[in-house]
Amino acid sequence: MSHDPILKRLLTFLQRSPTPWHATQNMLERFERAGFRRLHETEAWDVKAGERVVVTRNGSSIIALQLPDEPLTTLRMIGAHTDSPGLRLKPNAAITTSDWLQLGVEVYGGALLAPWFDRDLALAGRVQVRDDRGRLKSLLLDTKHAVAMIPSLAIHLDRDVNSGRPINPQTQMAPVLCQGSGKSKAFEPLLQKWLKEQHALDDAEVLGFELCLYDTQPPALVGINNELIASARLDNLLSCFIGMEALLESDGAQGAVLVANDHEEVGSASAIGAQGPFLQDVLRRIVEQLGDNSEQAWSRLIQSSCMISCDNAHGLHPNFSDKHDAAHGPLLNGGPVIKVNANQRYATTSETAALFRDVCRNAQVPTQTFVTRADMGCGSTIGPITATELGVPTLDVGVAQWAMHSIRETAGSQDVVHLIRALTTFLDRRVLF
């Protein structure tokens, strides 16, 4: 497996996926090019053994499923999430202050706010419109070029800025869009202008939008030997990409699922989040199509399966090594990280961890383990949520990274290849446990 084409595809995917809706669309198109047939939840399904199918919900969550030719008795599942922390526009976004048109924003998820200042920011997301024929449409939008920024206050006017002053997102983080607007309604004509440029719509009536700000600096390989990947949204588009590559690389002989949910960064409690019914709805419909849809058969299938929840891990930071447990500080480019927490913030058990270590041994991939310090809190993933909702044996793994939830994050380029190889071996494994 050559590394350069994989990393090139990764950088392209990251660049083209500024929002969960764009990421889902890009994954959908990739799967369809590879022969996956798209299913729509509002239609009747006719699914047969040996098929490969893909389903989306809300345009921001996606499930790709590979069915074996033999009876479906087990599933190898990979889970990730499409959303990332950041800044999103409020519905009545326009603010006029001191001759400037600014945008009111909400903080989505646990974003690291300081790096958002003085960045070249674009806008992307989806817009709901009524066209000139009266039809309602949901359209993707991406300005691609910088249209806004959040300027810092000069140190001369804030001498305590480097002393840990808190940032107020309501009063201090309204992005500047343009000068001399005069009226707060000046934002809607801009939306209509962008819609006309990108979708050839004249005078479309904007009925609503979900728009995110993002940094226009492109993803890049960094380091003397390109050891690092620097990009926005590595948490968790990196796992989405790795899971997609592994599923497409697998031999297709085993039942396999990739699910990438939205709303992980805000708790997963939604119709499209991991705590919602999306995955179970799709799997139950598939099982019904293939024959025995009794509760006993469903329970056998789930208990014979395994879910690997992929979400990035906190890599050992060279400037803050004291923030890690001395025996559990994973290194960038040191291999996939098994994430363990006794209080079930991660779903890993000794049994599922042993399975993954065996998989990695067969794939000739190194492994690492992360446990947070006992005197610090621990984040969570879709792993415990999916395990709770489905009852499927689950473990949490991920690529080590720095600057999690920053506007620009960093991971090891070799770890991308490591985890793709490990997950491909997992999907091809004939006997799970």
Side-chain angles (χ1 to χ4, degrees), residues 2 88 118 120 137 155 166 197 224 233 240 249 253 260 272 339 341 352 356 399 404 412 420:
S2 175
R88 299 197 176 187
D118 306 316
D120 299 343
K137 290 184 176 181
I155 193 170
E197 291 172 351
I224 298 300
R233 304 175 298 282
C240 292
E249 185 72 22
I272 55 177
K339 300 157 72 172
N341 182 262
T352 56
F356 188 70
V399 166
M404 191 175 289
I420 291 172

Side-chain angles (χ1 to χ4, degrees), residues 193-357:
K193 172 179 175 289
W194 294 326
L195 289 169
K196 182 177 181 180
E197 291 172 351
Q198 296 182 27
H199 296 283
L201 284 180
D202 287 315
D203 300 323
E205 181 184 359
V206 176
L207 301 177
F209 56 76
E210 293 163 283
L211 293 174
C212 313
L213 290 155
Y214 74 92
D215 185 7
T216 57
Q217 184 177 2
L221 296 177
V222 178
I224 298 300
N225 299 307
N226 289 338
E227 302 99 326
L228 302 174
I229 301 166
S231 175
R233 304 175 298 282
L234 291 182
D235 176 19
N236 191 29
L237 293 188
L238 190 54
S239 297
C240 292
F241 174 84
I242 288 171
M244 177 173 62
E245 288 282 324
L247 183 55
L248 294 174
E249 185 72 22
S250 65
D251 62 19
Q254 313 300 326
V257 177
L258 170 65
V259 54
N261 292 106
D262 196 358
H263 293 164
E264 189 275 346
E265 297 293 357
V266 292
S268 294
S270 72
I272 55 177
Q275 195 174 336
F278 183 34
L279 179 57
Q280 188 162 175
D281 285 351
V282 170
L283 292 183
R284 282 189 177 273
R285 288 184 71 173
I286 294 293
V287 170
E288 287 176 9
Q289 291 279 301
L290 296 180
D292 189 352
N293 61 352
S294 67
E295 284 301 313
Q296 190 176 98
W298 169 259
S299 182
R300 284 200 307 269
L301 172 65
I302 294 303
Q303 291 309 307
S304 300
S305 301
C306 183
M307 161 70 79
I308 297 182
S309 166
C310 291
D311 203 345
N312 295 353
H314 297 293
L316 184 66
H317 196 300
N319 297 334
F320 299 94
S321 58
D322 60 323
K323 296 297 183 180
H324 277 77
D325 181 278
H328 301 92
L331 301 175
L332 271 64
N333 290 316
V337 181
I338 300 171
K339 300 157 72 172
V340 178
N341 182 262
N343 295 298
Q344 288 300 293
R345 301 296 289 169
Y346 304 131
T348 306
T349 67
S350 60
E351 184 179 38
T352 56
L355 167 65
F356 188 70
R357 289 193 178 96

